[in-house]
Amino acid sequence: MPLLVATGIRRSFYGVRALDGAEVAVEAGTVTGLIGPNGAGKTTFFNCISGMIPPDGGRVVFDGQDVTGWSPDRITRRGMVRTFQIARGFPRLTVMENLLLYGPDQPGEAALTALFGRRAAKRREDELVERAKGIAAQLRLTRVLDNRAAEVSGGQKKLLEIGRALMAEPRLVLLDEPVAGVNPTLAGEIVEIIRGLRDRGLTFLVVEHDMEAVSRLCDPVVVFAEGRRLTQGTFAEVAADPRVQESYMGRRAWAS
Amino acid sequence: MENYLVAIVTFAGIYALLAMGLNVSWGMTGLVNLGMAGFFALGAYASAILTVRTGAWIPLGFGLAAIVAALAGAALMGITRKLRGDYLAIITLGFSEFVRLVAANEIWLTRGSDGISGIPGPWRGELSPAQFNVLFCVIVLVLVAVAYVVCERLRDSPYGRVLRAVREDDTVAAVAGKAVDRYKLQAFAIGAGIMGVAGAAYGHYTSYIAPDIFRPLITIYIFLALTAGGVGNNRGAVVGAFLVMAILEGTRFLWDVVPGLAAVQKAALREIVIGVLLIVVMRLRPEGLLPEPVPKVLDKETTR
């Protein structure tokens, strides 16, 4: 059974059908791509399955459990965590704090433990700091750990998005345009990082417009158009599909 | 003059409690609380009514003040948890006016606009007024110290980190796995509870409270205190409170040396001076006198 199965997801905004029965299945151990023209519903789909907006209909089953309509914090704690397209978050927290925040099971996040159980909090904090340092080293963020998130470069913010998600100890990471707006060299590095993580057993669902990155990273690739799944296959298959080209380019008015 | 100074320090301490309460809800968690005067009043009335009516031990009054204000804060936050920013500000401002109007009209409970007088103070009968003054000043400073330790522990913990994350972006905080609504509720309630304690202190010190004391102006002064002192910084909250009190009171004497002004003009000029001084502080130190501390984890070696 796939790690994530979303079926029949529907969502309208004031009569506009953003999602009209969308479905995606993500097999464990894959980097599944999700592409489609602007307005196809990719971001709304992410928002629906990560709990940020409730779907009007449909079912989201993650790791054998129905998580439809769960709040985002429960979904993250269950092992599915998303990132944001425009590196979003906590500008006045340091990079280290951004990472630590995503660490699960910190007893010091309860008010009473924060006041009276500082030893237990400290023990967990030390573990989380070690793990955050490891992740930072892997993403080459070590130098900026003590900088506020607002002060680091755009590329570093993108890396921090990935690092934060990893801190949550997820089984599935939903990446929203991980290489958008970064230079080609860094884009290549991010692709390699994601592949490396997949090889170590992590599963990804990736929304991305950069076809170079999709072709190197994603298998299978799901194509969305008009709020629905249009087709699915390897990158070569979907790229050769005339329906996919049509959905991006539009139909020729004089086509026979 | 000494009595006056001691009294000013006591009031500044009460302001410092309010500023720290505001720092928990607004400074750390980003929840605008314009209802501070309401929580201040709730604490004052809860403690005054209990101790005057039943003759209860004064510390019990303080405890009740904290609980009533915290519960009211939790209830208010529970009702408004989907609101943010300006809308929360309006609701909380409405709440504080609601408390004041209830205090003015529910005469059976609060004696209406006559106010409650004869609120007991610790050993007020046994001590001379000057001694009582000093004793109460010490009590308030101890309360400030305790509140400071509590707030600092909260701030400097994973709990405080979550609060600050909620302040920056509550959606992403939820994605980080945090039950955002629960944190907002707690932070608002803790802040309100501290404000309630400040209210109790006020009542037991002055021995008299009335609805008119709890006008929204006090809320604005505390926002100024925290902003000037440093939003998110507990020490900044205390420093800001003492600074605002020093400006408020200090300007009274300033006019003795400025000739040719009528009393009304002096009063107006005082407000202008307060405004100008705060603009100067914000211009020179946009993050306040003591900016929010940035926790550092790295030693020098690893950064090199």
Side-chain angles (χ1 to χ4, degrees):
Chain A
M1 185 175 176
L3 185 57
L4 174 74
V5 185
T7 45
I9 306 292
R10 286 183 291 107
R11 173 75 204 198
S12 301
F13 296 101
Y14 309 104
V16 177
R17 279 192 206 151
L19 290 175
D20 192 10
E23 57 183 77
V24 167
V26 180
E27 294 287 346
T30 65
V31 178
T32 302
L34 179 56
I35 66 170
N38 288 323
K42 305 180 298 291
T43 299
T44 307
F45 182 74
F46 257 31
N47 287 342
C48 281
I49 59 177
S50 62
M52 288 177 56
I53 56 176
D56 296 334
R59 232 161 85 87
V60 184
V61 177
F62 173 69
D63 197 15
Q65 187 165 26
D66 190 334
V67 298
T68 319
W70 282 24
S71 59
D73 53 301
R74 280 181 76 198
I75 288 178
T76 296
R77 291 199 296 269
R78 185 67 182 73
M80 174 160 69
V81 63
R82 69 164 294 168
T83 66
F84 293 91
Q85 175 184 344
I86 34 162
R88 193 180 152 173
F90 317 116
R92 280 183 289 180
L93 269 58
T94 66
V95 169
M96 180 51 120
E97 287 183 294
N98 267 268
L99 292 171
L100 293 176
L101 184 78
Y102 272 64
D105 306 321
Q106 165 56 278
E109 287 178 358
L112 286 177
T113 316
L115 287 176
F116 305 112
R118 289 170 80 81
R119 198 172 299 167
K122 177 78 169 61
R123 207 176 309 129
R124 179 63 179 151
E125 191 79 348
D126 290 344
E127 291 168 17
L128 290 175
V129 166
E130 278 316 302
R131 213 151 58 79
K133 282 183 177 172
I135 287 172
Q138 200 182 337
L139 299 174
R140 292 197 276 116
L141 290 171
T142 304
R143 275 166 184 281
V144 295
L145 273 176
D146 277 341
N147 289 75
R148 289 184 175 196
E151 299 162 357
V152 304
S153 74
Q156 286 167 331
K157 283 183 184 135
K158 286 291 208 188
L159 292 166
L160 178 57
E161 281 283 335
I162 296 173
R164 288 196 309 203
L166 296 179
M167 281 299 290
E169 297 178 19
R171 297 196 55 201
L172 173 63
V173 182
L174 309 173
L175 294 174
D176 197 354
E177 303 204 20
V179 304
V182 305
N183 67 58
T185 314
L186 181 58
E189 287 171 17
I190 290 176
V191 166
E192 285 313 311
I193 286 166
I194 296 169
R195 287 162 72 121
L197 291 164
R198 179 203 57 196
D199 292 344
R200 278 184 279 154
L202 204 54
T203 309
F204 292 90
L205 177 61
V206 184
V207 166
E208 187 51 70
H209 279 296
D210 182 327
M211 289 306 148
E212 165 79 19
V214 174
S215 71
R216 288 173 55 195
L217 192 59
C218 302
D219 187 26
V221 175
V222 180
V223 185
F224 265 26
E226 292 168 13
R228 244 180 262 147
R229 182 170 67 180
L230 183 67
T231 183
Q232 173 170 351
T234 64
F235 181 76
E237 283 164 15
V238 301
D241 190 325
R243 289 174 303 160
V244 175
Q245 295 165 3
E246 220 166 61
S247 77
Y248 271 89
M249 304 300 180
R251 202 184 309 260
R252 287 183 209 210
W254 60 87
S256 50
Chain B
M1 186 65 191
E2 281 138 29
N3 259 332
Y4 169 74
L5 282 178
V6 172
I8 293 310
V9 170
T10 309
F11 282 121
I14 291 171
Y15 273 29
L17 287 172
L18 289 170
M20 278 190 280
L22 184 66
N23 193 35
V24 176
S25 55
W26 181 57
M28 290 197 238
T29 323
L31 302 166
V32 180
N33 184 356
L34 289 181
M36 180 197 308
F39 297 111
F40 188 48
L42 273 180
Y45 272 99
S47 190
I49 291 168
L50 180 76
T51 50
V52 171
R53 291 268 172 96
T54 69
W57 194 42
I58 293 170
L60 287 181
F62 273 88
L64 184 72
I67 290 167
V68 167
L71 286 179
L76 186 64
M77 198 68 227
I79 296 167
T80 61
R81 67 184 186 282
K82 294 294 169 208
L83 303 179
R84 47 195 297 182
D86 306 347
Y87 299 99
L88 181 62
I90 292 165
I91 294 279
T92 52
L93 184 61
F95 167 80
S96 87
E97 283 299 276
F98 164 79
V99 170
R100 193 168 64 83
L101 290 173
V102 168
N105 289 290
E106 297 302 320
I107 296 168
W108 60 275
L109 184 67
T110 63
R111 294 188 205 154
S113 49
D114 288 348
I116 298 177
S117 54
I119 303 168
W123 296 285
R124 199 196 295 275
E126 290 94 279
L127 299 173
S128 74
Q131 286 170 323
F132 175 79
N133 218 5
V134 172
L135 172 71
F136 209 91
C137 185
V138 171
I139 291 173
V140 166
L141 292 180
V142 168
L143 287 174
V144 169
V146 171
Y148 175 79
V149 170
V150 167
C151 292
E152 257 317 271
R153 285 201 151 203
L154 289 177
R155 189 193 62 75
D156 181 34
S157 70
Y159 184 78
R161 184 166 66 219
V162 177
L163 295 189
R164 283 179 295 131
V166 170
R167 175 188 73 193
E168 310 275 297
D169 190 329
D170 55 0
T171 308
V172 184
V175 168
K178 314 306 167 198
V180 169
D181 285 351
R182 200 179 69 216
Y183 282 99
K184 285 186 179 176
L185 198 85
Q186 287 177 354
F188 204 79
I190 294 169
I194 296 172
M195 294 168 192
V197 170
Y202 182 89
H204 291 292
Y205 181 53
T206 61
S207 85
Y208 172 72
I209 56 172
D212 265 1
I213 295 166
F214 305 103
R215 289 189 171 278
L217 188 61
I218 174 112
T219 307
I220 302 305
Y221 282 149
I222 301 304
F223 264 87
L224 295 178
L226 185 56
T227 310
V231 179
N233 187 320
N234 291 312
R235 226 176 309 160
V238 177
V239 169
F242 277 81
L243 179 75
V244 163
M245 185 53 84
I247 294 172
L248 285 174
E249 293 299 321
T251 41
R252 285 182 204 281
F253 301 99
L254 199 57
W255 309 133
D256 294 348
V257 294
V258 182
L261 284 177
V264 187
Q265 289 172 315
K266 287 179 181 174
L269 201 53
R270 195 171 147 221
E271 305 287 327
I272 294 172
V273 167
I274 293 165
V276 168
L277 282 173
L278 283 159
I279 291 170
V280 169
V281 169
M282 295 324 293
R283 192 76 186 82
L284 300 177
R285 304 290 302 248
E287 289 192 67
L289 293 171
L290 302 171
E292 183 172 51
V294 180
K296 305 275 183 194
V297 288
L298 296 187
D299 33 15
K300 290 275 157 11
E301 296 161 58
T302 38
T303 36
R304 206 172 291 150

